[in-house]
Amino acid sequence: MSPSKNNLWHQNARASLKEANSCNEFFQTDVFENQSFPIKIPLEFANLIDKDNPNDPLLRQVISSKSKLKDPEFSLSPLEDDRHSPVSGLIHKYPNRVLLIASRVCAIHCQYCFRQNFDYQQHDAISNWIQVENYIINNSQINEVILSGGDPLSLSDDKLELLIGNIEKIKHIKTLRIHSRSAVVTPSRITDKLADILNNSKLSVVLVLHTNHMRELSEQFASVVNKLDGITLLNQSVLLKGVNDSLESLSTLSLRLFSLGILPYYLHLLDKVSGTEHFLVSDKRAKQLHKELKANLSGYLVPKLVRDKNTESKVWL
Ligand code: SF4
């Protein structure tokens, strides 16, 4: 029996590339190695990669072999999430908003990820929901809940509906923000049911996508993103050497995002996680690129250049 449109993404997730040999065979290369941060590449993303280009910017993001460069500034966990976590699964840094770790699962494993060594067992907002809910209820200055992970859109539509319904019941919450990469790398995730849940929420919903390169915004994505016409769409990127560290790459990304109704929001400097040294763009180069972007694009197309200090804590450059 063929899967319904609402369930196709589950089937696509199961078909993701997850092992070095199959990746090396698929991409006709030998650069993949099995590592502690496992490989995961959805076929919808893998099929966008130019197999004839060993430096393809999409391929570079998922190659699992770690950097041979060793820099003492890089550590297993550069962000101190625990210091701002009053209850498991919830991070509270700024008075008006909290971030929930809603899922440990991602549609893709980005090899520059700052959470690749994160202890998700200690941070699970769903299994600790009663405590999380009580914390939010007892802190009436909180008006925004951010769903993060992992990727919150790796939850099923039914689980997401239940979670959002529970958040909507808390009277002082007005805004729901969702951080997701899966909507871009697996466009089949944007189901009709998901669109209904988000478009018809009582809350103001902001979906912050994570896209690093214009080619990730495929025709398939373009054909489904317009279902999300009742919410605000923003994008955040990570500035990555060999992926998007040029004026042309960043400009075309901003223009493509805007043509799809998505505003560029943040351009993050790399979080210094061990093994990701080869992705680092220096501060000096990052500031130069940002200056060139400002000179070449309208202001609303220029993302803010930021460095994460802690989860939900940013320094503008
Ligand atoms: S989707 Fe986000 S959390 Fe998941 S691996 Fe990529 S960067 Fe990390």
Side-chain angles (χ1 to χ4, degrees):
M1 195 168 70
S2 65
S4 75
K5 267 167 61 184
N6 279 329
N7 286 323
L8 178 63
W9 70 275
H10 289 292
Q11 181 177 296
N12 287 345
R14 281 194 291 275
S16 299
L17 300 169
K18 287 182 181 155
E19 198 271 326
N21 282 344
S22 49
C23 289
N24 284 327
E25 199 177 319
F26 186 92
F27 295 111
Q28 297 155 25
T29 181
D30 58 3
V31 294
F32 284 87
E33 296 168 8
N34 290 317
Q35 300 275 357
S36 55
F37 185 48
I39 299 165
K40 189 171 185 187
I41 311 170
L43 289 180
E44 285 160 276
F45 186 87
N47 285 326
L48 299 175
I49 289 172
D50 177 3
K51 293 178 186 169
D52 294 328
N53 180 5
N55 296 316
D56 184 280
L58 276 56
L59 179 66
R60 276 182 67 82
Q61 298 175 56
V62 292
I63 290 175
S64 57
S65 46
K66 294 296 180 198
S67 179
K68 304 282 183 280
L69 308 163
K70 291 295 165 215
D71 184 326
E73 281 192 21
F74 284 61
S75 62
L76 288 177
S77 185
L79 304 183
E80 299 167 345
D81 289 314
D82 288 342
R83 282 182 46 210
H84 304 284
S85 182
V87 297
S88 168
L90 177 147
I91 295 167
H92 194 185
K93 173 72 181 166
Y94 291 105
N96 80 305
R97 55 195 185 270
V98 288
L99 181 143
L100 307 187
I101 304 293
S103 170
R104 66 170 67 187
V105 179
C106 294
I108 188 169
H109 284 180
C110 317
Q111 294 296 327
Y112 53 84
C113 177
F114 72 101
R115 287 229 177 97
Q116 55 187 275
N117 305 306
F118 190 68
D119 183 357
Y120 284 103
Q121 268 177 336
Q122 297 298 319
H123 297 272
D124 179 354
I126 303 277
S127 63
N128 195 33
W129 175 249
I130 301 293
Q131 276 196 61
V132 167
E133 184 181 45
N134 282 336
Y135 182 86
I136 301 173
I137 288 172
N138 291 328
N139 285 274
S140 57
Q141 80 279 18
I142 298 169
N143 58 26
E144 178 174 359
V145 171
I146 302 166
L147 301 184
S148 184
D151 193 319
L153 294 191
S154 60
L155 296 172
S156 69
D157 288 337
D158 288 345
K159 283 189 181 158
L160 210 52
E161 189 172 31
L162 184 64
L163 177 61
I164 293 173
N166 283 334
I167 295 169
E168 285 173 340
K169 285 181 200 151
I170 306 173
K171 287 199 177 61
H172 49 271
I173 300 303
K174 307 294 178 206
T175 304
L176 175 73
R177 195 192 323 169
I178 300 175
H179 288 177
S180 173
R181 181 141 170 76
S182 64
V184 171
V185 299
T186 53
S188 57
R189 179 64 193 94
I190 305 177
T191 61
D192 292 347
K193 176 151 189 195
L194 177 71
D196 279 349
I197 295 167
L198 300 183
N199 289 337
N200 298 318
S201 172
K202 287 186 212 151
L203 303 169
S204 299
V205 178
V206 183
L207 177 60
V208 184
L209 301 161
H210 174 173
T211 318
N212 298 319
H213 193 276
M214 188 269 278
R215 280 192 18 240
E216 295 169 25
L217 299 165
S218 63
E219 286 309 312
Q220 192 193 351
F221 175 75
S223 71
V224 290
V225 72
N226 55 10
K227 288 184 198 173
L228 302 171
D229 56 0
I231 66 173
T232 300
L233 296 172
L234 304 175
N235 184 69
Q236 54 185 345
S237 308
V238 182
L239 184 59
L240 299 165
K241 192 171 185 177
V243 174
N244 56 10
D245 59 332
S246 70
L247 176 62
E248 193 204 346
S249 179
L250 293 171
S251 304
T252 54
L253 173 59
S254 279
L255 290 166
R256 175 76 170 148
L257 286 165
F258 187 67
S259 74
L260 297 171
I262 306 162
L263 278 177
Y265 174 39
Y266 280 139
L267 178 60
H268 292 262
L269 294 183
L270 182 74
D271 294 315
K272 294 184 174 177
V273 181
S274 303
T276 67
E277 287 85 343
H278 57 298
F279 285 118
L280 184 66
V281 176
S282 70
D283 284 11
K284 188 177 169 199
R285 174 74 181 135
K287 285 179 190 169
Q288 177 62 29
L289 275 170
H290 197 242
K291 197 171 157 192
E292 290 171 20
L293 266 185
K294 285 196 269 191
N296 282 277
L297 293 176
S298 303
Y300 55 86
L301 293 178
V302 181
K304 294 181 181 74
L305 181 65
V306 291
R307 166 176 286 125
D308 282 322
K309 208 168 141 208
N310 289 304
T311 302
E312 262 308 287
S313 172
K314 312 214 182 292
V315 181
W316 295 16
L317 300 173

